[in-house]
Amino acid sequence: MSRRVVFPFPAIVGMEKAKLALLAVAVNPSIGGVLLRGDKGTGKTTLVRSFADVLPEIEVVADCPFNCDPHDPQLMCDSCYARYQRGEKLPMAVRKMRVVDLPLSITVDRLIGTLDIKRAITEGVRALQPGLLAEANRNILYIDEVNLLDDYIVDVILDAAAYGWNIVEREGVSVRHPAKFILIASMNPEEGELRPQLLDRFGLMVDVEAPQDPGVRAEIVRRVEEFNRDPEGFYRRWEPEIERIREGIKRAKELVRDVEVPEDLLKLLAETVVKLGIRTSRAEIVTTRTAKALAALDGRARVTMEDLQKAMELALPHRLKARPFERPRMPIPPQPMPNEGNAQGRRQMPNSMHNQQGSAVRGGEGNEQGGLNGGSSVGDEANADGDTRRYGVSGVDIPVEFRRGLIRTGDRGLRSRSSLRRVVGQPHGIPYMYLPPRDGDLRDIDLTASIVYASLRGSGLPIRVGLEDLVVRVRRSRTPRVSLIILDASGSMNFMRRIEVAKGLVRRITEESYVRRSYVGLISFRGRGVDVVIEPTRNYWQVLDTLDELLSGGATPMPAALAYAVNLIKRLNLKLKGDYWAYLITDGKANVPLTGDVGEEVERFMGELSRLARVVVYDTRPQLIYDPSIGHMDILSRYAIDVVRVGE
């Protein structure tokens, strides 16, 4: 066989729900995309590769690089539309739909398109060299490990997916072309969650899990081994079934336009979505389209209750959360929440950072208020009966006197996403213009633009590029934001349940980091040293799971925590030039020094921390009953860019 042999789609064992979702979007691409979530080694990528083999052919304009539809003017690029308006007969070609892979290392130029260097050199004109979005138009755009994709690439894909058009403004070229693609992606939730904006763009989501039936797993091994021994022979044995699926998709694409949804089922769907608290109207639209596609695949022109139930299981689970980390409220089988890495990244404070009098206090030692908060120490296993955890701020029973102050935290530098900055000479970010190099700095030279400038200068052929023609890229880069939370878990924080308020603040900051896809870390201190450390990560569940198990009680070793935060940010700065924020949540009652005077050490390390990061202090002291002379809040306030009175 002249082509590469892929594992046959119908030969894949199990994964029936994922197969159904892929077939539904093949019948009706307006459903949107499909997100396949699951652990590594569950066959997600193999499924997508084999899915391309059962896709039917489509008609395109033969001489158009954008795969324009010759029959629909709304799916034509500007060039094809102008020819269509003039009454020209557009040449047609029949091509098979295919999967266009988007690698994680892709550049913006390759994604959206860039200047056609050949025409610029030979003809001296500006023309577009199509990118990957042009190839993906009316095809499938597949992203493996989509949660690892750079934010600025995701932004471009979001724009194209939202408008269905790709607009290119590069080197004097202004071109737009349709970019209506089916977005299929796979991801491993262990490596972090998706941005909510991108998650909602997927019409359907399926959790792919390895089967637990030994017989099914044995059959998987048998088929894989048989395919490896004789790929062509194995494929030929399944070819009749592949052709049957392909023909079924063709018939369903013709039938789906005439499929009807009974009015009672439509009302039932709307009532269910409202009861589930789903706010986006895309839920009903996608569910209806999916149900119609499933009915068409079954050869029926009327949607049944079974079709609607299957469609709801595919289209609603990932839309149930009104806010990040909110628990789903769903009567259909709930989706598992990622709960990995509880022990990863946590460690006790090194001995060198402890006070010489002893190590970090565990249990009830030194509890100033006579009690602990939380039921188990860090590293203990979760309850066997799977207790329900409350991640959002709304899930915390916050005393009335603290609620007003907690709401104010949303205005303290947490709302906006990471800021954009102009970068010259660094190969990161989106290039948006070119400049001559300054002071002989020839880093990040754009050879294509340099050749184009030389050719447009009129030097003739052969083109000679001199130093005066060289240009460097000016990029717009998103500065990564790193939020380091320093939490006071000492015994004094147990008074009036202030530790619960403090944990609510940590959850709020973590939720905001999730929305921005920024990094978040946690340092808690109590007893004689730092108690728990999670270095900045995008595994936000690790922070929340640790928070639920966090103990409180003991003395307040604030100098040790500030010193550790300073050393951590210095080390991180060597490899990540980011926008560092430190959130110190405390009542200011530091009473355990490292070596000398507590007040002097607090002032010293706060001064160093304020030079490395922007510090926000959350003052948890009760509003009515506190003595301003007790504690070191005046020192903390001098070095903070803002002090938020949580009790106000």
Side-chain angles (χ1 to χ4, degrees):
M1 302 175 70
S2 59
R3 58 179 175 78
R4 179 184 176 187
V5 181
V6 297
F7 197 89
F9 184 77
I12 296 178
V13 179
M15 303 176 69
E16 299 305 321
K17 185 181 287 189
K19 289 182 181 179
L20 198 63
L22 293 174
L23 292 175
V25 297
V27 171
N28 187 0
S30 64
I31 290 174
V34 177
L35 175 62
L36 304 175
R37 288 177 19 130
D39 295 332
K40 51 187 177 295
T42 51
K44 302 183 295 295
T45 303
T46 301
L47 179 66
V48 176
R49 304 274 185 231
S50 62
F51 172 60
D53 193 48
V54 300
L55 295 176
E57 298 173 331
I58 57 174
E59 290 184 339
V60 301
V61 178
D63 56 355
C64 178
F66 307 120
N67 303 312
C68 290
D69 189 336
H71 308 293
D72 189 349
Q74 295 187 3
L75 297 179
M76 295 181 182
C77 64
D78 293 341
S79 176
C80 290
Y81 182 73
R83 295 162 63 188
Y84 176 83
Q85 288 289 90
R86 292 195 298 265
E88 293 185 22
K89 185 177 181 180
L90 300 176
M92 290 190 302
V94 177
R95 297 174 186 168
K96 189 175 180 180
M97 287 184 66
R98 65 190 185 93
V99 173
V100 178
D101 293 298
L102 191 146
L104 295 178
S105 59
I106 192 170
T107 63
V108 175
D109 289 349
R110 178 69 184 101
L111 179 63
I112 67 174
T114 186
L115 194 66
D116 190 331
I117 184 64
K118 181 178 179 181
R119 295 191 63 185
I121 293 175
T122 59
E123 304 175 27
V125 298
R126 293 180 172 91
L128 179 73
Q129 177 67 42
L132 214 59
L133 289 180
E135 299 179 31
N137 183 40
R138 302 183 65 211
N139 285 303
I140 292 176
L141 183 65
Y142 174 56
I143 311 173
D144 192 12
E145 304 294 350
V146 62
N147 49 332
L148 302 182
L149 204 61
D150 287 333
D151 278 353
Y152 60 89
I153 296 293
V154 173
D155 292 339
V156 174
I157 296 175
L158 281 176
D159 287 341
Y163 300 111
W165 288 83
N166 178 36
I167 302 174
V168 185
E169 301 282 352
R170 306 296 298 273
E171 295 101 4
V173 179
S174 180
V175 177
R176 70 170 192 160
H177 66 80
K180 288 188 173 292
F181 49 83
I182 300 173
L183 186 60
I184 298 181
S186 61
M187 61 172 284
N188 183 353
E190 290 181 355
E191 296 166 335
E193 290 294 322
L194 275 181
R195 283 170 49 187
Q197 299 92 329
L198 183 57
L199 182 62
D200 193 50
R201 293 298 175 191
F202 291 99
L204 311 176
M205 189 195 77
V206 180
D207 280 313
V208 180
E209 299 177 348
Q212 299 305 309
D213 186 341
V216 175
R217 297 177 76 101
E219 180 62 23
I220 293 174
V221 175
R222 282 193 290 269
R223 293 191 182 186
V224 170
E225 289 301 308
E226 187 179 353
F227 175 77
N228 290 336
R229 283 195 303 269
D230 183 12
E232 297 181 9
F234 186 81
Y235 182 87
R236 277 193 291 266
R237 283 194 292 276
W238 287 92
E239 205 159 16
E241 183 68 15
I242 293 174
E243 188 60 32
R244 186 191 67 80
I245 295 176
R246 187 179 294 127
E247 291 299 322
I249 295 175
K250 290 180 181 179
R251 290 192 300 269
K253 288 173 72 72
E254 297 175 358
L255 177 61
V256 72
R257 305 169 188 169
D258 302 323
V259 175
E260 298 179 353
V261 182
E263 189 64 26
D264 58 336
L265 291 184
L266 196 58
K267 290 182 179 179
L268 176 63
L269 171 62
E271 292 173 358
T272 303
V273 170
V274 171
K275 289 179 180 178
L276 293 175
I278 300 176
R279 302 178 183 178
T280 172
S281 296
R282 190 178 281 120
E284 293 99 323
I285 296 173
V286 170
T287 304
T288 302
R289 290 173 179 173
T290 305
K292 293 172 69 175
L294 297 179
L297 282 168
D298 205 28
R300 291 179 281 103
R302 189 176 180 83
V303 172
T304 65
M305 174 63 77
E306 184 180 0
D307 297 326
L308 187 61
Q309 289 176 340
K310 291 180 180 179
M312 291 172 65
E313 292 180 6
L314 297 172
L316 298 186
H318 59 300
R319 296 188 167 92
L320 287 172
K321 296 187 297 182
R323 299 174 54 199
F325 306 113
E326 189 175 59
R327 278 294 183 186
R329 298 156 296 180
M330 182 139 183
I332 63 178
Q335 305 300 311
M337 303 295 284
N339 191 24
E340 303 86 4
N342 288 351
Q344 296 177 0
R346 309 177 193 174
R347 61 176 182 271
Q348 296 300 317
M349 192 68 181
N351 292 333
S352 60
M353 298 299 294
H354 282 260
N355 184 272
Q356 297 177 355
Q357 300 176 11
S359 60
V361 174
R362 283 285 181 187
E365 297 177 21
N367 187 345
E368 295 177 350
Q369 301 298 332
L372 297 178
N373 180 67
S376 60
S377 63
V378 174
D380 291 347
E381 295 183 358
N383 294 340
D385 56 354
D387 58 319
T388 302
R389 294 172 177 174
R390 297 172 295 180
Y391 291 105
V393 174
S394 58
V396 181
D397 186 11
I398 300 174
V400 175
E401 61 269 23
F402 291 141
R403 290 177 184 170
R404 182 184 172 193
L406 187 59
I407 295 173
R408 288 178 55 199
T409 62
D411 300 326
R412 301 293 176 169
L414 296 176
R415 289 185 300 176
S416 62
R417 294 191 57 208
S418 302
S419 59
L420 292 171
R421 61 174 179 174
R422 172 171 150 164
V423 181
V424 181
Q426 294 184 13
H428 301 289
I430 304 174
Y432 67 100
M433 63 179 296
Y434 303 97
L435 289 176
R438 296 180 180 178
D439 302 325
D441 187 357
L442 301 181
R443 292 180 299 170
D444 203 18
I445 289 179
D446 191 297
L447 295 179
T448 299
S450 300
I451 296 173
V452 169
Y453 278 114
S455 64
L456 297 179
R457 188 165 46 87
S459 59
L461 296 176
I463 297 176
R464 292 180 173 83
V465 180
L467 289 176
E468 67 277 7
D469 300 312
L470 295 179
V471 291
V472 297
R473 299 180 182 94
V474 179
R475 298 178 181 268
R476 185 176 287 111
S477 174
R478 196 175 297 281
T479 306
R481 178 160 175 166
V482 182
S483 298
L484 183 61
I485 306 169
I486 308 171
L487 175 62
D488 184 351
S490 63
S492 61
M493 292 290 288
N494 286 331
F495 181 59
M496 295 183 64
R497 301 182 64 189
R498 285 177 290 168
I499 189 64
E500 291 298 327
V501 179
K503 288 184 177 182
L505 289 169
V506 176
R507 292 185 180 97
R508 176 66 177 272
I509 297 170
T510 304
E511 289 178 3
E512 295 287 349
S513 300
Y514 166 84
V515 173
R516 287 192 307 264
R517 296 295 297 161
S518 59
Y519 297 89
V520 62
L522 174 65
I523 298 174
S524 74
F525 59 96
R526 69 186 191 97
R528 294 293 175 179
V530 169
D531 190 43
V532 172
V533 174
I534 297 179
E535 295 197 1
T537 177
R538 283 181 174 174
N539 188 354
Y540 311 105
W541 294 99
Q542 182 182 352
V543 178
L544 296 180
D545 287 340
T546 301
L547 195 65
D548 283 345
E549 302 171 348
L550 194 68
L551 298 178
S552 63
T556 311
M558 187 183 298
L562 295 176
Y564 193 91
V566 168
N567 291 334
L568 177 61
I569 295 178
K570 285 181 178 179
R571 176 162 53 83
L572 293 175
N573 245 324
L574 297 177
K575 58 182 179 180
L576 180 63
K577 299 297 182 182
D579 182 16
Y580 287 87
W581 287 69
Y583 299 95
L584 177 59
I585 306 174
T586 182
D587 57 6
K589 296 181 180 180
N591 52 25
V592 179
L594 280 173
T595 57
D597 181 73
V598 172
E600 293 178 357
E601 290 179 350
V602 168
E603 182 148 16
R604 170 190 165 191
F605 292 124
M606 272 297 291
E608 290 190 40
L609 185 63
S610 64
R611 288 190 289 271
L612 297 171
R614 283 178 276 188
V615 182
V616 177
V617 175
Y618 289 95
D619 184 357
T620 62
R621 294 177 297 180
Q623 180 180 5
L624 300 177
I625 48 173
Y626 75 90
D627 186 348
S629 63
I630 299 177
H632 301 83
M633 192 59 67
D634 56 335
I635 299 176
L636 302 179
S637 302
R638 287 203 300 269
Y639 294 99
I641 64 170
D642 194 8
V643 178
V644 181
R645 284 295 312 280
V646 178
E648 291 182 354

